[in-house]
Each structure stands twice: as C-alpha cells, then as structure tokens.
Amino acid sequence: VYIVTAGQVPSWLDVDHPDIRVIDHAEILDPECLPTFNSHAIEARLHHIDGLAEHYLYLNDDFMFGRQVTAGTFFTANGLAKLFPDELAPIPSGPPTLDDRPVDSASKNVEALMRRHLGMHVGSKMRHVPYPQRRSVLDEMEERFPEEFQRTAASRFRHPTDINIPSCFAHYYAFATGRAVLGDIEAEYINVGSRWSGLQMRRLLERRDRDAFCVNETELEPAQVETVDR
C-alpha cells in the first residue's frame, strides 16, 4: 500500500509495517513542480512510484471498500483492467473554459485526445470507485503524450488544460488499445451535503452490499456547513 502525501504522516500510521510505504510528492514530481495543490498533477506521476506493480488500484482519499473484494473485481483472469463508466455523469460538450468544474475541463481534454488520436468518442466520466491501472499502459501513454503529461504535472493549481489521467484517460486509452474491458461493480456514491446521505450510510452499515463507496463533499450552501462538518 502506497500512501501519497505532501510530506505528512498520520500519527496513528504504523510506518514500519512491511506492506505500507508513505510516498512524498518529491519522490515522484520534479522540484520545479513543487509544492503542488493540484490532484491532477499528482495523478500524472503516480505510475513513477518505485516498486509499483504492473497491476494496481488507485484510490482517492474519499474512496472506501464496502466489503471483501478480490482482484477479479477489477481485473480479468488474463490481466485486462476493467473500466466503470458513469452513464449518469456525461462529459459536457464544447471546449474547456475557466467556468468549468476542473473535472469537467479535464474530461473534455481527454475526450478531445481520444477522438483526435484514437478515433474514439467517449461520452462519460468514470464512476467514483477504485481505479484499476496497468503500469505499462501509463508508461506508454506518457511516451505518446509527453507534452500533455508534463503540462499537467507542472500545473500547481487546477487549470483548464489539465487532463485527469488515471481517473479517466488511462481507462479509455487501455480500452481503445485492447487492454481493458467494460466491467460492473456494486458501488455507492454519497454526497454528504445531500438530504439522503444519512440514509445511504445507514443502509451501507446494515446491508454491507457494496464493493466500494465514495463519501464526497461538493458545493455546499452556507447553512449546510456545520451539519456536514459534523
């Protein structure tokens, strides 16, 4: 397990555990790219972690497993990665703008790259679940698109020219080049600002019927802040 942080180590973490390693941003990003406050930049360099396996899972900090899972949840028996597009989260049309949410502008850029270089139209963002990755696919992508990778890695704050590499681009690229297949996963997305979030979390605890879930905080009304923080 590799935990990527900006030099922070939680006080409760057993850093001497043989299966856990904390990775500082400085281990994977060039000095001129630091400090960075852009998750897209950090994501652009995750495949440079020393010792990372060919097949691995990438999780954001708000992803969790809901029950026991196996490698087969995320990869086929012959090593193909599975991708989980979200049909309820379409990639907006048009060029990226400063008014876009960062995930939307980054996904627009991925759609343009896929259409221009691989002749494939992609219409959906990915579900908020652990992302199956192939290290060799990321290496190949960086060799093929060096400018896009470097520009994103050097972007200290999110920018409309970013691409969301392991959370979107890598899945579609692997699919288009025969190294990924469509998959299915039992998952739950919880917006803590939603009136239904409490019910969703109680159901998760009672049923334990989801492979993974995401507890996410999006834009909040001022009146919601105290409740959501609690």
Side-chain angles (χ1 to χ4, degrees):
V1 178
Y2 298 93
I3 303 173
V4 182
T5 78
Q8 307 101 326
V9 179
S11 60
W12 47 261
L13 183 66
D14 179 6
V15 293
D16 295 322
H17 193 287
D19 294 330
I20 295 175
R21 186 171 151 217
V22 178
I23 304 295
D24 190 291
H25 291 170
E27 292 187 49
I28 56 175
L29 283 153
D30 295 332
E32 59 269 21
C33 299
L34 296 172
T36 187
F37 308 92
N38 182 2
S39 60
H40 293 152
I42 301 162
E43 289 179 340
R45 299 287 296 177
L46 291 177
H47 60 290
H48 287 270
I49 293 173
D50 185 34
L52 191 64
E54 164 64 9
H55 295 80
Y56 62 97
L57 298 178
Y58 164 51
L59 284 74
N60 295 145
D61 60 358
D62 53 7
F63 290 4
M64 281 160 260
F65 293 107
R67 60 184 176 186
Q68 186 73 34
V69 295
T70 68
T73 309
F74 302 99
F75 298 95
T76 65
N78 62 343
L80 301 181
K82 295 182 181 181
L83 69 157
F84 309 107
D86 188 348
E87 297 178 356
L88 300 178
I91 298 173
S93 59
T97 71
L98 289 170
D99 294 326
D100 285 335
R101 295 187 306 161
V103 65
D104 288 335
S105 56
S107 299
K108 287 180 179 181
N109 292 328
V110 167
E111 195 282 328
L113 286 171
M114 291 297 302
R115 181 165 29 85
R116 188 181 314 125
H117 294 279
L118 290 109
M120 178 180 170
H121 169 70
V122 299
S124 300
K125 289 171 275 191
M126 293 293 148
R127 297 184 69 182
H128 286 67
V129 297
Y131 301 120
Q133 308 278 286
R134 293 275 303 268
R135 190 173 188 176
S136 59
V137 171
L138 273 296
D139 289 339
E140 179 182 310
M141 291 170 64
E142 186 169 21
E143 185 174 346
R144 185 168 180 178
F145 303 99
E147 293 182 10
E148 288 82 0
F149 271 68
Q150 181 55 37
R151 181 170 60 243
T152 299
S155 180
R156 293 190 175 188
F157 297 92
R158 290 186 178 186
H159 192 273
T161 60
D162 288 352
I163 48 177
N164 42 358
I165 295 167
S167 58
C168 186
F169 193 18
H171 303 275
Y172 283 125
Y173 184 89
F175 182 77
T177 57
R179 285 167 288 182
V181 295
L182 287 172
D184 190 27
I185 188 170
E186 293 294 333
E188 188 91 7
Y189 176 82
I190 301 171
N191 172 11
V192 289
S194 164
R195 61 184 296 191
W196 307 111
S197 62
L199 175 62
Q200 286 178 280
M201 287 189 272
R202 285 194 296 273
R203 286 178 57 192
L204 274 175
L205 281 171
E206 292 168 1
R207 300 182 182 182
R208 305 281 175 152
D209 59 352
R210 295 291 187 263
D211 297 317
F213 60 97
C214 172
V215 181
N216 194 8
E217 179 179 332
T218 57
E219 294 83 3
L220 300 173
E221 297 294 332
Q224 291 180 285
V225 172
E226 183 179 347
T227 300
V228 168
D229 283 349
R230 183 173 66 250

Short mmCIF file of all heavy atoms in Angstrom, two decimals, residues 2 18-19 25 49 73 112 151 173-174 191 219:
data_model
loop_
_atom_site.label_atom_id
_atom_site.label_comp_id
_atom_site.label_asym_id
_atom_site.label_seq_id
_atom_site.Cartn_x
_atom_site.Cartn_y
_atom_site.Cartn_z
N TYR A 2 0.72 2.08 -1.01
CA TYR A 2 1.47 3.32 -1.11
C TYR A 2 0.52 4.48 -0.79
O TYR A 2 -0.53 4.61 -1.40
CB TYR A 2 2.03 3.50 -2.52
CG TYR A 2 3.00 2.42 -2.93
CD1 TYR A 2 2.56 1.29 -3.63
CD2 TYR A 2 4.36 2.51 -2.63
CE1 TYR A 2 3.44 0.30 -4.01
CE2 TYR A 2 5.25 1.52 -3.01
CZ TYR A 2 4.78 0.41 -3.70
OH TYR A 2 5.67 -0.59 -4.08
N PRO A 18 5.55 -3.68 7.01
CA PRO A 18 6.25 -4.05 5.77
C PRO A 18 5.44 -3.85 4.50
O PRO A 18 6.01 -3.79 3.40
CB PRO A 18 6.56 -5.54 5.99
CG PRO A 18 5.56 -6.00 7.01
CD PRO A 18 5.34 -4.83 7.91
N ASP A 19 4.11 -3.73 4.63
CA ASP A 19 3.27 -3.59 3.44
C ASP A 19 2.77 -2.17 3.21
O ASP A 19 1.92 -1.95 2.34
CB ASP A 19 2.06 -4.53 3.54
CG ASP A 19 2.47 -5.99 3.49
OD1 ASP A 19 3.49 -6.29 2.86
OD2 ASP A 19 1.77 -6.82 4.10
N HIS A 25 5.47 13.69 -2.23
CA HIS A 25 5.36 14.23 -3.59
C HIS A 25 6.72 14.38 -4.26
O HIS A 25 6.85 14.21 -5.48
CB HIS A 25 4.67 15.60 -3.57
CG HIS A 25 3.22 15.54 -3.20
ND1 HIS A 25 2.48 16.67 -2.93
CD2 HIS A 25 2.38 14.49 -3.03
CE1 HIS A 25 1.24 16.32 -2.63
NE2 HIS A 25 1.15 15.00 -2.68
N ILE A 49 6.01 5.72 -9.07
CA ILE A 49 6.35 5.22 -7.73
C ILE A 49 7.27 4.01 -7.88
O ILE A 49 6.94 3.05 -8.57
CB ILE A 49 5.08 4.85 -6.94
CG1 ILE A 49 4.27 6.10 -6.62
CG2 ILE A 49 5.44 4.10 -5.66
CD1 ILE A 49 2.92 5.81 -5.98
N THR A 73 -12.54 -8.46 -9.11
CA THR A 73 -13.47 -7.33 -9.13
C THR A 73 -12.99 -6.25 -10.09
O THR A 73 -13.79 -5.53 -10.69
CB THR A 73 -13.62 -6.72 -7.72
OG1 THR A 73 -13.92 -7.76 -6.78
CG2 THR A 73 -14.73 -5.67 -7.69
N ALA A 112 -11.16 14.98 -26.27
CA ALA A 112 -10.54 15.51 -27.49
C ALA A 112 -9.33 14.68 -27.90
O ALA A 112 -9.12 14.41 -29.09
CB ALA A 112 -10.15 16.97 -27.26
N ARG A 151 2.72 19.02 -18.94
CA ARG A 151 1.96 20.24 -18.66
C ARG A 151 1.06 20.05 -17.44
O ARG A 151 0.96 20.92 -16.57
CB ARG A 151 1.13 20.63 -19.87
CG ARG A 151 0.33 21.92 -19.68
CD ARG A 151 -0.29 22.42 -20.97
NE ARG A 151 -1.20 21.45 -21.54
CZ ARG A 151 -1.04 20.85 -22.72
NH1 ARG A 151 0.04 21.13 -23.46
NH2 ARG A 151 -1.92 20.00 -23.17
N TYR A 173 -7.98 4.86 -22.82
CA TYR A 173 -6.84 4.50 -23.67
C TYR A 173 -6.62 2.98 -23.62
O TYR A 173 -6.40 2.35 -24.67
CB TYR A 173 -5.58 5.23 -23.19
CG TYR A 173 -4.37 4.98 -24.07
CD1 TYR A 173 -4.11 5.81 -25.17
CD2 TYR A 173 -3.50 3.93 -23.82
CE1 TYR A 173 -3.01 5.58 -25.99
CE2 TYR A 173 -2.40 3.69 -24.63
CZ TYR A 173 -2.15 4.53 -25.71
OH TYR A 173 -1.07 4.29 -26.52
N ALA A 174 -6.67 2.39 -22.43
CA ALA A 174 -6.49 0.94 -22.32
C ALA A 174 -7.59 0.21 -23.06
O ALA A 174 -7.34 -0.81 -23.73
CB ALA A 174 -6.48 0.54 -20.84
N ASN A 191 -23.02 11.95 -1.44
CA ASN A 191 -22.73 13.37 -1.29
C ASN A 191 -23.17 13.77 0.11
O ASN A 191 -24.36 13.75 0.42
CB ASN A 191 -23.47 14.18 -2.35
CG ASN A 191 -23.36 15.68 -2.12
OD1 ASN A 191 -22.56 16.14 -1.30
ND2 ASN A 191 -24.16 16.44 -2.85
N GLU A 219 -20.16 21.23 -3.57
CA GLU A 219 -20.52 22.59 -3.20
C GLU A 219 -21.65 22.58 -2.16
O GLU A 219 -22.63 21.85 -2.30
CB GLU A 219 -20.97 23.38 -4.44
CG GLU A 219 -19.88 23.60 -5.47
CD GLU A 219 -19.69 22.41 -6.39
OE1 GLU A 219 -20.45 21.43 -6.24
OE2 GLU A 219 -18.78 22.43 -7.22
#
